Amino acid sequence: QGCAQKYIVKNYFYYYLFKFSAALGEEIFYITFLPFTYWNIDHSVSRRMIIVWSIVMYIGQVSKDILKWPRPLSPPVVKLEMRTDAEYGMPSTHAMAATAISFSFLIATANQYKYPFELGLAAAFVFSVLVCLSRLYTGMHTVLDVIGGALISAVLLVLLYPAWDTIDHLLLTSPFCPLLSLVVPLVLCYNYPKLDYYSPTRGDTTTILGAGAGATVGFWLNNKYASPAYTSQNFQLGFPLITGKMVLVMLARFSIGIFVILLTRRVMKAVVLGVLGYRYRFPMGDLEARRRLEVEVPYKFITYSSVGFCATVLVPLLHELLGLL
């Protein structure tokens, strides 16, 4: 673990294609695409994607640490990534996330917008396949890991789909939503399966559930206190209907929103880690201390729940103030 392997790239097209595809299953994609959908496409679509993503990723991460199937041996496999090497392999959460996000987006938009369904299906399939193949190319998963992850995600989508509207309605209207949205994920994070050695799965799971919790509280607040200001524009998806002005407005929303989100993440990381360091008497640079349960869970959860709340409440308020809604 932690020792980078030397390798020679013989085909730069595949190398950069699959390195980029691998990034589509990581934080950089989640923190850009999911907020973009909320700010520029449709709130209901974004809500469903975030809820499905949170559930699917939690089940996938927990399954890894329960099954404890090792990743491919290296050698003979050459691993192009090292951070996730400490995690177990089955199922591939990259494959699960790609399948869940792409097909939940397709299902959620198919009945609301006019666009060729075959085109959307092909895009969702290509997106999922590219991410799955990237896990094989980078040496991080076996074929069985990837197929298992995609199938588990597909089954969960089928099981969750009939309850989508009910879950969405409860999240927006139940008076218990804010409390349950914070308490349930925290309980799950503190009771995450224990391993004999440190793995980033607990921290990654806390990040995902924290972001989902903050966003869910934001959904509830928007619906209760500011729904007229955040009513979706509901423009039809389709290239002929997207004007140059719309593109500029969407880019402006996205640029401002991402700046605010990244700033929030940076500030909250420093503040929360500083408070926890003072509470448990460790320097901010102490990596081992940051891996302890009593530090890692509140650190990740508070930071990313703030990010989720900021993306769904503060950024739209800023958009409104700037006349971008």
Side-chain angles (χ1 to χ4, degrees):
Q1 294 178 3
C3 298
Q5 292 176 284
K6 294 182 178 180
Y7 55 86
I8 298 174
V9 179
K10 295 183 178 180
N11 190 313
Y12 281 96
F13 174 76
Y14 288 140
Y15 178 78
Y16 287 113
L17 172 64
F18 291 125
K19 289 286 282 186
F20 172 77
S21 300
L24 298 178
E26 298 172 358
E27 182 182 355
I28 188 173
F29 175 74
Y30 305 143
I31 209 169
T32 53
F33 179 72
L34 295 177
F36 178 88
T37 305
Y38 188 76
W39 300 330
N40 290 306
I41 298 181
D42 189 283
H43 290 183
S44 65
V45 172
S46 181
R47 289 196 303 269
R48 285 161 171 77
M49 289 174 62
I50 290 173
I51 297 306
V52 169
W53 169 67
S54 301
I55 294 172
V56 165
M57 288 299 288
Y58 174 76
I59 292 174
Q61 295 284 74
V62 169
S63 298
K64 281 186 177 184
D65 290 339
I66 291 177
L67 294 174
K68 298 182 179 180
W69 287 22
R71 290 183 181 269
L73 293 177
S74 177
V77 169
V78 176
K79 295 186 177 181
L80 306 187
E81 298 176 13
M82 298 310 301
R83 178 187 175 276
T84 57
D85 197 32
E87 298 179 6
Y88 289 107
M90 177 63 146
S92 166
T93 46
H94 272 71
M96 292 184 71
T99 303
I101 289 176
S102 59
F103 283 95
S104 62
F105 181 83
L106 172 67
I107 296 169
T109 58
N111 295 327
Q112 299 187 48
Y113 299 97
K114 293 182 180 180
Y115 66 91
F117 179 79
E118 295 78 9
L119 180 61
L121 181 62
F125 180 77
V126 169
F127 180 90
S128 300
V129 168
L130 281 176
V131 175
C132 290
L133 290 178
S134 74
R135 308 316 290 157
L136 303 178
Y137 183 88
T138 55
M140 302 311 297
H141 285 286
T142 64
V143 174
L144 186 58
D145 294 343
V146 170
I147 293 176
L151 287 178
I152 292 171
S153 188
V155 170
L156 289 172
L157 272 175
V158 171
L159 294 177
L160 289 170
Y161 177 70
W164 269 18
D165 292 337
T166 302
I167 294 172
D168 189 53
H169 178 74
L170 290 174
L171 290 179
L172 294 178
T173 60
S174 172
F176 303 106
C177 173
L179 179 63
L180 292 177
S181 296
L182 296 174
V183 172
V184 172
L186 268 176
V187 170
L188 293 176
C189 292
Y190 274 109
N191 290 276
Y192 193 82
K194 295 181 179 179
L195 299 176
D196 297 331
Y197 66 93
Y198 177 79
S199 168
T201 49
R202 184 182 64 201
D204 291 344
T205 304
T206 305
T207 294
I208 293 166
L209 294 185
T216 302
V217 173
F219 298 151
W220 184 86
L221 285 173
N222 286 341
N223 182 72
K224 188 172 181 64
Y225 297 107
S227 54
Y230 301 107
T231 301
S232 302
Q233 298 300 314
N234 287 330
F235 55 84
Q236 294 179 330
L237 292 179
F239 293 109
L241 299 177
I242 299 179
T243 64
K245 182 180 179 180
M246 290 174 62
V247 171
L248 291 177
V249 171
M250 291 166 67
L251 289 176
R253 289 176 186 164
F254 178 73
S255 300
I256 293 170
I258 288 299
F259 174 78
V260 174
I261 282 180
L262 294 179
L263 180 63
T264 300
R265 184 178 67 167
R266 185 178 184 86
V267 171
M268 291 305 299
K269 277 187 174 183
V271 171
V272 176
L273 193 58
V275 172
L276 291 171
Y278 177 80
R279 168 67 176 83
Y280 294 106
R281 306 295 186 210
F282 67 86
M284 292 183 67
D286 189 342
L287 183 59
E288 289 302 317
R290 289 163 59 175
R291 290 176 170 179
R292 286 154 41 188
L293 174 67
E294 65 271 20
V295 175
E296 184 177 58
V297 170
Y299 169 51
K300 297 279 190 179
F301 192 86
I302 295 173
T303 298
Y304 283 91
S305 60
S306 300
V307 169
F309 183 83
C310 174
T312 54
V313 176
L314 300 184
V315 171
L317 275 174
L318 183 58
H319 288 164
E320 183 183 18
L321 289 174
L322 295 174
L324 295 174
L325 285 182

